[in-house]
Amino acid sequence: MADLTLREKMREIIFGTEPGPGRTFDIVLIAVIISSVTALFLDSVASIHARWGDWLYAAELGFTLLFTVEYLARIYCSADRRQYMFSFYGLVDLLATLPTYLALLVPGAQHLLVIRIFRVLRVFRVLKLVQYTSEANVLLRSIAASRHKIFVFFTTVLTLVIAFGSLMYLIEGPANGFTSLPRSIYWAIVTVTTVGYGDIVPHTALGQVIAALAMVTSYAIIAIPTGIISSELLQEAQREATRSQCKACKKRGHDRDARYCKHCGEALPPKF
Amino acid sequence: MADLTLREKMREIIFGTEPGPGRTFDIVLIAVIISSVTALFLDSVASIHARWGDWLYAAELGFTLLFTVEYLARIYCSADRRQYMFSFYGLVDLLATLPTYLALLVPGAQHLLVIRIFRVLRVFRVLKLVQYTSEANVLLRSIAASRHKIFVFFTTVLTLVIAFGSLMYLIEGPANGFTSLPRSIYWAIVTVTTVGYGDIVPHTALGQVIAALAMVTSYAIIAIPTGIISSELLQEAQREATRSQCKACKKRGHDRDARYCKHCGEALPPKF
Amino acid sequence: MADLTLREKMREIIFGTEPGPGRTFDIVLIAVIISSVTALFLDSVASIHARWGDWLYAAELGFTLLFTVEYLARIYCSADRRQYMFSFYGLVDLLATLPTYLALLVPGAQHLLVIRIFRVLRVFRVLKLVQYTSEANVLLRSIAASRHKIFVFFTTVLTLVIAFGSLMYLIEGPANGFTSLPRSIYWAIVTVTTVGYGDIVPHTALGQVIAALAMVTSYAIIAIPTGIISSELLQEAQREATRSQCKACKKRGHDRDARYCKHCGEALPPKF
Amino acid sequence: MADLTLREKMREIIFGTEPGPGRTFDIVLIAVIISSVTALFLDSVASIHARWGDWLYAAELGFTLLFTVEYLARIYCSADRRQYMFSFYGLVDLLATLPTYLALLVPGAQHLLVIRIFRVLRVFRVLKLVQYTSEANVLLRSIAASRHKIFVFFTTVLTLVIAFGSLMYLIEGPANGFTSLPRSIYWAIVTVTTVGYGDIVPHTALGQVIAALAMVTSYAIIAIPTGIISSELLQEAQREATRSQCKACKKRGHDRDARYCKHCGEALPPKF
């Protein structure tokens, strides 16, 4: 039974977040993750790489080793190993170590190294996010409920962007930076989303009139997704209110924080 | 009766989307449309045109021929030919082929070739979009219901844009890129819609103060169309909420708590 | 009585919009206004001014003469002359002619000429806008009702803009374009409103971190005015619904288009 | 008792805003604050500093002396001195004078001088802002109520920004301005928030496709915080609508149709 007890203890420390060794482990882990991502960031800056590249490489190897040990320990002590390995965080844990080994073995796999930046996601596991899941679900449900409206909206935007892009390609032409159809449509997207880099801008008078039209259109259009989400979120909140029902008078429509029926004063069933 | 049967069979294949030959036709058609649009895109890039121009031209002729045969087949087998030819998709189908023939016959009609890009719209016909129509109608109805508010909003924006544009033309002048009144108003539109290309920017201190004012104003103003659409969509959703229809006047749009038709006073069917 | 009849007839033609001479007058007037504003626009373009400046000047004198005659006719035939002269449109009519005369008499008054661009506002008088007034009032009422919230919002934005501007002035300094405090605050406004010209951008790493923070903040902040206006417009719509009351059951909450009480089926009082 | 009377009189003048000496003091104070901030602004402009630097320095010393006298007077005459000194405005008052003294005594403390710009906040004290506090509380309560949703939103944005930034670092590379991971993520933030400076822009075709995707995503995403705040503000307004307070537990926030307190079940006072 000693083995089982060890696994259970490890599981408590590695997966748990209670005060004591579990929390200490979490704090150390967060510190290591942040150090590792900071090292990645610094190493990508040419001047820092030139001077501290070797040290940062050594640090990276150390971090990878630590994460590998942690990954193996997690597999070892998890109750359902398969479930952990194919869970979202299980894959993130694997991707935190794999690219470094691949880059050592396979030449030309350096491009994969950037994947390690997603180590930052591991921080979220440690933060107790259970309470946020229901809120995330409300947001996702609102987006899902309005997916048809959002599809109609994106179809309209696509059509507009093709129309404005093609028109500008005809009017401005390659001399003014609208060198091809795809590039003109890229300009249209940059304009309609109001990003407006300014790398491609209309130079002819007619082109500026069309561009101004595209901007004013985008102005009206940006209101639509916002309206959709606002309206959906509010309906969601109203539906939420109708879920709990008073046992005495059978009426619904109670607020989330309500403990007594507002119609008859009866105590409401507790939320779970 | 053989002719009628053939027409009916063709109609099923060409216009239908059921599994079997109808779906196969649709998938082939989408592949051809996407290939054709991709060819258009590639041909508009100068370096690709220089090298593969002839091949792409040949491909374009092939695609046009295919679309022509398809267009004629659609006319032949549609139940109401006139209705098809003047329907939205009938015109899109025609415009997918016409420009290529015109460019062959009429010199200088090359500019029309860009119209072929709207072939991309033909994809939407194939996708079963009937279910989206009602959602699109909700959006259109919301916009239609608030058209007066939107008109007031655009009038305000127009006045602001003229005021800020004229002011900047006076303050900054041609030396700083505000070379004419139309160009200054173009700057004002670029600024108020928060696109902000940066091709024309204020250089004087006073000009920057006015520009800052224009931006802060735009900030408040961008909230208005969004507020209008949000509020309208929500009211629409609340009206929609009840599917109950008056038996007497057949009108819908009754509130959730309605017991009598608001249009004719007839009792509404009870909710379940 | 001939004089009065003439005045009345003129009033009908000039101020009226009924079919017949009144409508013809309106259409001619809109054509003249648009021609006059187009001439102003064209004259401000240097290349056109160089070539057609004399012709456009002559046209401008003609337009001014026409508008002067129209202005005097309006004063002559209006029922309450003082009221007309000090009304919004009376002043716009005066400002459509005055600058040209001032520029002729007073040297150096050329700067006032740009005021003539507001002639474009005269078009709105001709369009029957009475129906839009109530919608404009709803918008204004919503903005007025949330003026305290909007003030709080602008105070927050002002504080943020000063904080970010000052910080960037310290971090980036004159070498990177942040040459003075006012210019740094101008940068902060350009950034927080998401206009983003790109004429002043952070160059140091720390500056880019602060700029990124400013952008993410602006992201959250832009949601606030929109939320305020949306919520206010919707409440306005709900209040609107509570105005009409059923005589029979005394209940309120009827839609705008309701003709019968939804609670008891009684006919509602007609709207005015 | 003369001393107490003097303190009370001073308190009335300095802290009070009633017509008479209190209001005169306020108006003079606002004028001095605005002069002082204007002097700070002007002094930060190199050309003005070169010419008027000595005069502005003298003025600054004068303003600092005035604010010091005012600060000491405020401490002297406030009812609860400790409370004043550690209140928000007490600290702002101190920070309005401290940096000038520090810069005189400690070499290299010049950087602190920019803190004096927050003197502008002192204007808000004079304006009677009590009426705005409740509105600010509504806004804060709405933001607090949706803090979980906002956290989920920012986590999503962070993940997207890291994903798009890393991808562009791989695709575009240092040759096109994406010189490091942090800089690529800075680009992603500039793009997703639709600021779009244009200091770093994609140059490769694939990079422009990814950038277009990032923009369209940001379009949908910007709708989410707005939707959250709109929905929350509206619910807040609906809760606010009833001012009724429970006699038993003193809590507010009951719905319009509530007859019993939802917190303790006590009967609510009837509406009027």
Side-chain angles (χ1 to χ4, degrees):
Chain A
M1 292 297 281
D3 182 56
L4 190 80
T5 317
L6 178 67
R7 267 186 70 193
E8 281 181 349
K9 240 184 201 159
M10 276 177 70
R11 196 185 306 157
E12 209 166 87
I13 294 171
I14 295 180
F15 286 99
T17 52
E18 276 75 55
R23 183 157 294 173
T24 311
F25 178 83
D26 284 351
I27 290 166
V28 170
L29 184 60
I30 288 188
V32 175
I33 292 168
I34 289 173
S35 308
S36 136
V37 171
T38 308
L40 276 177
F41 267 57
L42 292 175
D43 197 41
S44 78
V45 181
S47 62
I48 295 174
H49 179 79
R51 200 156 167 196
W52 305 98
D54 292 343
W55 291 94
L56 288 167
Y57 185 67
E60 173 54 33
L61 287 184
F63 289 131
T64 306
L65 221 68
L66 273 177
F67 290 145
T68 312
V69 170
E70 185 216 340
Y71 181 59
L72 295 175
R74 276 186 195 270
I75 292 179
Y76 170 68
C77 71
S78 60
D80 183 341
R81 283 166 184 169
R82 182 175 296 266
Q83 194 204 7
Y84 162 70
M85 284 169 75
F86 292 98
S87 71
F88 175 70
Y89 280 122
L91 292 169
V92 169
D93 290 348
L94 182 64
L95 285 174
T97 58
L98 214 60
T100 312
Y101 293 119
L102 277 174
L104 278 175
L105 300 173
V106 189
Q110 271 78 4
H111 282 327
L112 295 170
L113 289 173
V114 89
I115 291 172
R116 296 171 304 181
I117 206 177
F118 287 101
R119 282 175 187 167
V120 85
L121 292 177
R122 307 184 69 219
V123 170
F124 294 125
R125 189 217 332 247
V126 180
L127 304 171
K128 253 207 166 177
L129 294 177
V130 187
Q131 42 186 324
Y132 295 102
T133 318
S134 78
E135 298 287 340
N137 282 344
V138 170
L139 283 176
L140 283 178
R141 215 151 46 209
S142 298
I143 293 167
S146 46
R147 66 185 178 287
H148 284 190
K149 281 200 197 70
I150 290 171
F151 179 87
V152 169
F153 167 71
F154 273 117
T155 308
T156 314
V157 169
L158 180 69
T159 312
L160 276 173
V161 152
I162 288 176
F164 280 118
S166 311
L167 215 60
M168 290 300 273
Y169 176 62
L170 279 183
I171 293 169
E172 292 277 326
N176 292 316
F178 293 76
T179 49
S180 67
L181 266 178
R183 201 167 153 81
S184 301
I185 286 169
Y186 165 72
W187 168 86
I189 293 174
V190 169
T191 299
V192 165
T193 56
T194 78
V195 170
Y197 284 139
D199 52 347
I200 318 171
V201 292
H203 289 278
T204 66
L206 186 55
Q208 291 178 347
V209 170
I210 302 294
L213 265 176
M215 288 169 210
V216 171
T217 309
S218 80
Y219 214 57
I221 269 185
I222 218 166
I224 293 175
T226 312
I228 294 170
I229 300 289
S230 298
S231 141
E232 209 60 55
L233 275 175
L234 198 57
Q235 288 178 68
E236 188 65 39
Q238 284 168 347
R239 268 193 290 274
E240 190 98 344
T242 63
R243 222 150 274 165
S244 60
Q245 184 184 19
C246 176
K247 277 180 204 163
C249 71
K250 304 294 178 201
K251 283 188 178 164
R252 294 173 183 277
H254 304 293
D255 288 345
R256 271 192 208 191
D257 58 345
R259 293 178 51 219
Y260 291 90
C261 174
K262 64 183 181 180
H263 301 292
C264 67
E266 186 73 20
L268 288 172
K271 303 276 161 44
F272 44 89
Chain B
M1 292 297 281
D3 182 56
L4 190 79
T5 318
L6 177 68
R7 268 186 70 193
E8 281 181 349
K9 241 184 201 161
M10 276 177 70
R11 197 185 305 158
E12 210 166 87
I13 294 171
I14 296 180
F15 285 98
T17 53
E18 276 75 55
R23 183 157 293 173
T24 311
F25 178 84
D26 284 351
I27 289 166
V28 171
L29 185 59
I30 289 188
V32 175
I33 292 168
I34 290 174
S35 308
S36 136
V37 171
T38 308
L40 275 178
F41 267 57
L42 292 175
D43 197 43
S44 78
V45 180
S47 62
I48 294 174
H49 179 78
R51 199 155 168 196
W52 306 98
D54 292 343
W55 290 94
L56 288 167
Y57 185 66
E60 173 54 34
L61 288 184
F63 289 131
T64 306
L65 220 69
L66 273 178
F67 290 145
T68 311
V69 170
E70 185 216 341
Y71 181 58
L72 296 175
R74 276 185 195 270
I75 292 179
Y76 170 68
C77 72
S78 60
D80 183 341
R81 284 167 184 168
R82 183 174 294 267
Q83 193 204 7
Y84 163 68
M85 284 169 74
F86 291 97
S87 71
F88 175 69
Y89 280 122
L91 292 170
V92 169
D93 290 348
L94 182 64
L95 285 173
T97 58
L98 213 61
T100 313
Y101 294 118
L102 277 174
L104 278 174
L105 300 173
V106 189
Q110 271 79 3
H111 281 327
L112 295 170
L113 288 174
V114 90
I115 291 171
R116 295 171 306 181
I117 205 178
F118 287 101
R119 282 175 187 168
V120 85
L121 292 178
R122 307 184 69 218
V123 170
F124 294 125
R125 186 211 341 243
V126 180
L127 305 171
K128 253 209 167 176
L129 294 177
V130 187
Q131 44 187 324
Y132 295 102
T133 317
S134 78
E135 298 287 340
N137 283 344
V138 170
L139 283 176
L140 284 178
R141 213 150 49 207
S142 297
I143 293 166
S146 47
R147 66 187 178 285
H148 285 190
K149 281 200 198 70
I150 291 172
F151 179 87
V152 168
F153 167 71
F154 272 117
T155 308
T156 313
V157 169
L158 179 69
T159 312
L160 276 172
V161 152
I162 288 175
F164 279 118
S166 311
L167 215 59
M168 290 300 273
Y169 176 62
L170 279 184
I171 292 169
E172 292 277 327
N176 293 317
F178 292 77
T179 49
S180 66
L181 266 179
R183 200 168 154 81
S184 301
I185 286 168
Y186 164 72
W187 168 87
I189 293 173
V190 169
T191 299
V192 165
T193 57
T194 78
V195 171
Y197 284 138
D199 53 346
I200 318 171
V201 293
H203 289 278
T204 66
L206 187 55
Q208 291 178 346
V209 170
I210 303 293
L213 265 176
M215 288 168 210
V216 171
T217 309
S218 80
Y219 215 57
I221 268 185
I222 219 167
I224 293 176
T226 311
I228 293 171
I229 299 289
S230 297
S231 143
E232 208 61 54
L233 272 176
L234 196 58
Q235 289 177 66
E236 188 65 40
Q238 284 168 346
R239 270 193 288 271
E240 195 86 343
T242 161
R243 295 286 165 99
S244 60
Q245 185 185 19
C246 176
K247 277 181 204 163
C249 72
K250 305 294 178 201
K251 283 188 180 165
R252 294 174 183 279
H254 304 292
D255 287 346
R256 278 187 200 196
D257 57 346
R259 292 178 51 218
Y260 292 89
C261 174
K262 66 182 180 180
H263 300 292
C264 68
E266 186 73 22
L268 288 172
K271 302 282 156 44
F272 42 89
Chain C
M1 293 295 280
D3 182 56
L4 191 80
T5 316
L6 178 65
R7 270 186 67 193
E8 282 181 349
K9 240 184 203 159
M10 277 178 69
R11 197 185 306 159
E12 210 167 86
I13 294 171
I14 296 180
F15 285 98
T17 51
E18 276 75 55
R23 183 158 293 175
T24 310
F25 178 84
D26 283 351
I27 289 165
V28 170
L29 184 60
I30 287 187
V32 174
I33 292 168
I34 289 174
S35 308
S36 135
V37 170
T38 308
L40 275 178
F41 267 57
L42 292 175
D43 197 42
S44 77
V45 181
S47 62
I48 295 174
H49 178 78
R51 198 155 169 197
W52 306 99
D54 292 343
W55 290 94
L56 288 167
Y57 186 65
E60 173 55 31
L61 288 184
F63 289 131
T64 306
L65 220 69
L66 273 177
F67 290 144
T68 312
V69 170
E70 186 216 340
Y71 180 58
L72 296 175
R74 276 186 194 269
I75 293 179
Y76 170 69
C77 73
S78 60
D80 183 341
R81 283 164 184 170
R82 182 175 296 266
Q83 195 206 5
Y84 162 69
M85 285 170 74
F86 291 98
S87 70
F88 174 70
Y89 281 122
L91 291 170
V92 169
D93 291 347
L94 183 63
L95 285 173
T97 58
L98 213 61
T100 313
Y101 294 117
L102 277 174
L104 278 174
L105 300 173
V106 189
Q110 272 79 3
H111 282 328
L112 295 170
L113 289 175
V114 89
I115 291 172
R116 294 172 305 182
I117 205 176
F118 287 101
R119 283 175 188 167
V120 84
L121 292 178
R122 307 183 70 217
V123 170
F124 294 126
R125 188 216 335 246
V126 181
L127 305 170
K128 253 207 166 177
L129 294 177
V130 187
Q131 43 187 325
Y132 295 102
T133 318
S134 79
E135 298 287 340
N137 282 345
V138 170
L139 283 177
L140 284 177
R141 213 151 48 207
S142 297
I143 293 167
S146 46
R147 66 186 178 286
H148 285 190
K149 280 199 198 71
I150 290 171
F151 180 87
V152 169
F153 167 71
F154 273 117
T155 308
T156 313
V157 170
L158 180 70
T159 312
L160 277 173
V161 152
I162 288 176
F164 279 118
S166 311
L167 215 59
M168 291 300 272
Y169 176 62
L170 279 183
I171 293 169
E172 292 277 325
N176 293 315
F178 292 77
T179 50
S180 67
L181 266 179
R183 200 167 154 81
S184 301
I185 286 167
Y186 164 73
W187 167 86
I189 293 173
V190 168
T191 299
V192 166
T193 56
T194 78
V195 171
Y197 284 138
D199 53 346
I200 319 172
V201 293
H203 290 277
T204 66
L206 186 55
Q208 291 179 346
V209 170
I210 303 293
L213 265 176
M215 288 167 211
V216 171
T217 310
S218 80
Y219 214 56
I221 269 185
I222 219 167
I224 294 175
T226 311
I228 294 170
I229 299 289
S230 298
S231 142
E232 209 60 56
L233 274 174
L234 198 57
Q235 287 177 69
E236 189 64 40
Q238 285 168 346
R239 268 193 291 274
E240 191 100 342
T242 63
R243 223 150 274 165
S244 61
Q245 185 185 19
C246 175
K247 276 181 205 163
C249 71
K250 304 295 177 201
K251 282 188 180 164
R252 294 172 183 278
H254 304 292
D255 288 346
R256 272 191 206 191
D257 57 346
R259 292 178 52 217
Y260 291 90
C261 175
K262 65 182 181 182
H263 301 292
C264 67
E266 185 73 21
L268 289 172
K271 303 275 158 48
F272 44 91
Chain D
M1 292 294 280
D3 182 56
L4 190 79
T5 317
L6 178 66
R7 270 186 68 193
E8 283 181 348
K9 240 183 203 161
M10 277 177 68
R11 197 185 307 158
E12 209 167 87
I13 293 171
I14 296 181
F15 285 98
T17 52
E18 275 76 56
R23 183 157 293 174
T24 311
F25 177 83
D26 284 350
I27 290 165
V28 170
L29 185 60
I30 287 188
V32 175
I33 292 168
I34 289 174
S35 309
S36 135
V37 171
T38 308
L40 275 178
F41 267 57
L42 292 176
D43 197 43
S44 77
V45 181
S47 61
I48 295 175
H49 178 79
R51 199 156 168 195
W52 306 98
D54 292 344
W55 290 94
L56 287 167
Y57 185 67
E60 173 54 33
L61 287 184
F63 289 131
T64 306
L65 221 70
L66 273 177
F67 290 144
T68 311
V69 170
E70 185 216 340
Y71 180 59
L72 296 175
R74 276 186 195 269
I75 293 179
Y76 170 68
C77 73
S78 60
D80 183 341
R81 284 165 184 170
R82 182 174 296 265
Q83 195 205 6
Y84 162 69
M85 285 170 73
F86 292 98
S87 70
F88 175 70
Y89 281 122
L91 292 169
V92 169
D93 291 348
L94 182 64
L95 285 173
T97 58
L98 214 60
T100 313
Y101 293 118
L102 277 174
L104 277 174
L105 300 173
V106 189
Q110 272 79 4
H111 282 326
L112 295 171
L113 289 174
V114 90
I115 291 172
R116 295 171 305 181
I117 206 177
F118 287 101
R119 283 175 188 167
V120 84
L121 292 177
R122 308 183 68 220
V123 169
F124 295 124
R125 189 218 331 249
V126 181
L127 304 170
K128 254 208 165 178
L129 294 177
V130 187
Q131 43 187 325
Y132 294 102
T133 317
S134 78
E135 299 286 340
N137 283 344
V138 171
L139 283 176
L140 284 177
R141 215 153 43 210
S142 298
I143 293 167
S146 46
R147 66 187 178 285
H148 284 189
K149 280 200 198 72
I150 290 171
F151 179 87
V152 169
F153 167 72
F154 273 118
T155 308
T156 314
V157 170
L158 181 68
T159 312
L160 276 173
V161 152
I162 288 176
F164 279 118
S166 311
L167 215 58
M168 290 300 273
Y169 176 61
L170 279 184
I171 292 168
E172 292 277 326
N176 292 316
F178 293 77
T179 49
S180 67
L181 266 179
R183 200 168 153 81
S184 300
I185 287 168
Y186 165 73
W187 168 85
I189 294 174
V190 169
T191 299
V192 165
T193 56
T194 78
V195 170
Y197 284 139
D199 52 347
I200 318 172
V201 292
H203 289 278
T204 66
L206 187 56
Q208 291 178 347
V209 170
I210 303 293
L213 265 176
M215 288 168 211
V216 171
T217 310
S218 80
Y219 215 56
I221 269 185
I222 218 165
I224 294 176
T226 311
I228 294 171
I229 300 288
S230 297
S231 142
E232 209 61 55
L233 272 176
L234 196 58
Q235 289 177 66
E236 189 63 41
Q238 284 168 345
R239 271 193 288 273
E240 195 85 344
T242 161
R243 295 286 165 98
S244 62
Q245 185 184 20
C246 175
K247 276 181 205 163
C249 71
K250 304 295 177 200
K251 283 187 179 164
R252 294 174 183 278
H254 304 292
D255 288 346
R256 278 188 200 195
D257 57 346
R259 292 177 52 217
Y260 291 90
C261 174
K262 66 181 180 182
H263 302 291
C264 67
E266 185 74 22
L268 288 173
K271 303 280 157 44
F272 42 89

